């Protein structure tokens, strides 16, 4: 009598996409989600509802946003979903930011899941243009005052270290890409290939459109041409 095979559930994946404001974290995340089935949880999905009630950075704001992030990440890690993409502006000179990311990753570690990092970099001029992009303004109402948003972007660039500067390039779980001249789809394909994520193209998608875009500067434990 043949033994019945038992399906072993796949371990979940948590993909952090980090980088400065308006570098393209959300749009790259959307492209990766559409190709892999990972669910996108961009940072402003937690921020925008709370801003209707409390000022950014206030104690109630921090508490509510933090609790929502933790609860959602824990539920995804415990579910049958393939995993989560979470976007985050990581200040590399602030130890609290690294501790926060490590804390959020714990439910995935506890399930034996993968935790991987995609860092995006782009010239400030490109980011200032993207700061006024239609998809950004649609998804993030707090950015619709473009003059204020531009001012905050420049202030953060001057106050915080928002690039790793290659500090994690030796790690197999970390990939750094300069996407100044690259399309979100092209960056997504590079990340999927680098991390070995399982592609899952949406029905009706154009296979030829995914890799279009300019040249990509990739820095990690291996270089993808």
């Amino acid at each position: 009598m043949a033994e019945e095979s038992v399906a072993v559930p796949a371990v979940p994946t948590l993909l952090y996409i980090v980088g400065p404001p308006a570098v393209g974290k959300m749009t790259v995340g959307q492209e990766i989600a559409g190709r892999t089935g990972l669910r996108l949880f961009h940072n402003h999905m937690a921020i925008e509802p709370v801003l209707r009630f409390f000022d950014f950075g206030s104690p109630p704001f921090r508490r509510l946003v933090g609790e929502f992030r933790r609860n959602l990440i824990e539920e995804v890690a415990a579910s049958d979903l393939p995993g989560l993409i979470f976007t985050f502006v990581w200040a590399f000179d602030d130890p609290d930011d690294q501790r926060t990311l490590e804390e959020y990753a714990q439910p995935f570690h506890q399930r034996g899941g993968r935790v991987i990092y995609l860092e995006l970099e782009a010239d400030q001029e490109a980011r200032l243009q993207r700061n006024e992009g239609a998809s950004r303004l649609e998804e993030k109402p707090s950015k619709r005052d473009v003059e204020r948003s531009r001012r905050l972007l420049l202030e953060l660039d001057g106050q915080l270290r928002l690039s790793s500067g290659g500090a994690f390039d030796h790690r197999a779980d970390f990939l750094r890409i300069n996407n100044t001249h690259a399309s979100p789809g092209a960056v997504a394909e590079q990340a999927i290939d680098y991390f070995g994520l399982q592609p899952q193209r949406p029905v009706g998608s154009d296979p030829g459109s995914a890799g279009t875009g300019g040249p990509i500067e990739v820095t990690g434990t291996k270089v993808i041409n």
Side-chain angles (χ1 to χ4, degrees):
M1 179 177 178
E3 294 183 359
E4 293 185 1
S5 61
V6 178
V8 178
V11 296
T13 296
L14 172 60
L15 169 60
Y16 285 125
I17 304 182
V18 301
V23 75
K25 299 182 294 296
M26 180 187 72
T27 50
V28 169
Q30 289 169 336
E31 295 288 341
I32 295 175
R35 289 161 168 77
T36 64
L38 298 176
R39 304 302 173 90
L40 174 63
F41 179 29
H42 70 73
N43 202 22
H44 276 257
M45 295 173 84
I47 289 174
E48 296 295 339
V50 180
L51 281 177
R52 292 174 176 265
F53 302 94
F54 300 105
D55 291 337
F56 185 91
S58 65
F61 173 90
R62 291 182 180 275
R63 185 165 54 251
L64 289 168
V65 170
E67 288 177 357
F68 181 64
R69 288 172 176 168
R70 282 189 292 272
N71 289 341
L72 190 140
I73 291 171
E74 287 173 2
E75 292 295 340
V76 172
S79 75
D80 294 330
L81 294 172
L84 190 71
I85 302 166
F86 181 63
T87 71
F88 191 76
V89 176
W90 184 353
F92 290 91
D93 50 352
D94 185 351
D96 285 344
D97 275 7
Q98 183 165 355
R99 283 193 289 266
T100 295
L101 293 179
E102 291 172 351
E103 176 192 348
Y104 292 164
Q106 283 308 304
F108 281 82
H109 286 309
Q110 290 166 2
R111 281 201 62 193
R114 295 180 73 197
V115 179
I116 51 183
Y117 298 80
L118 171 62
E119 179 185 0
L120 301 181
E121 301 176 327
D123 296 347
Q124 189 180 79
E125 181 179 353
R127 291 169 45 230
L128 288 171
Q129 292 176 354
R130 294 171 188 174
N131 190 53
E132 301 181 17
S135 63
R136 177 175 172 82
L137 300 183
E138 180 180 357
E139 289 281 336
K140 305 172 182 181
S142 63
K143 302 299 182 183
R144 292 173 187 169
D145 184 342
V146 293
E147 287 303 319
R148 180 175 180 273
S149 179
R150 174 188 176 91
R151 186 172 64 253
L152 290 174
L153 185 155
L154 295 172
E155 288 176 359
L156 287 177
D157 279 5
Q159 295 170 359
L160 302 171
R161 184 164 67 86
L162 300 176
S163 169
S164 68
F168 304 108
D169 287 354
H170 63 285
R171 287 173 32 174
D173 64 346
F174 198 99
L175 176 65
R176 183 164 56 98
I177 295 180
N178 188 309
N179 67 330
T180 299
H181 303 293
S183 72
V187 175
E189 291 289 350
Q190 295 285 356
I192 289 168
D193 182 56
Y194 183 88
F195 290 119
L197 300 175
Q198 294 299 315
Q200 178 181 304
R201 292 194 182 280
V203 175
S205 67
D206 178 7
S209 65
T212 59
I216 300 178
E217 179 184 333
V218 181
T219 311
T221 57
K222 61 180 178 179
V223 176
I224 305 170
N225 296 319

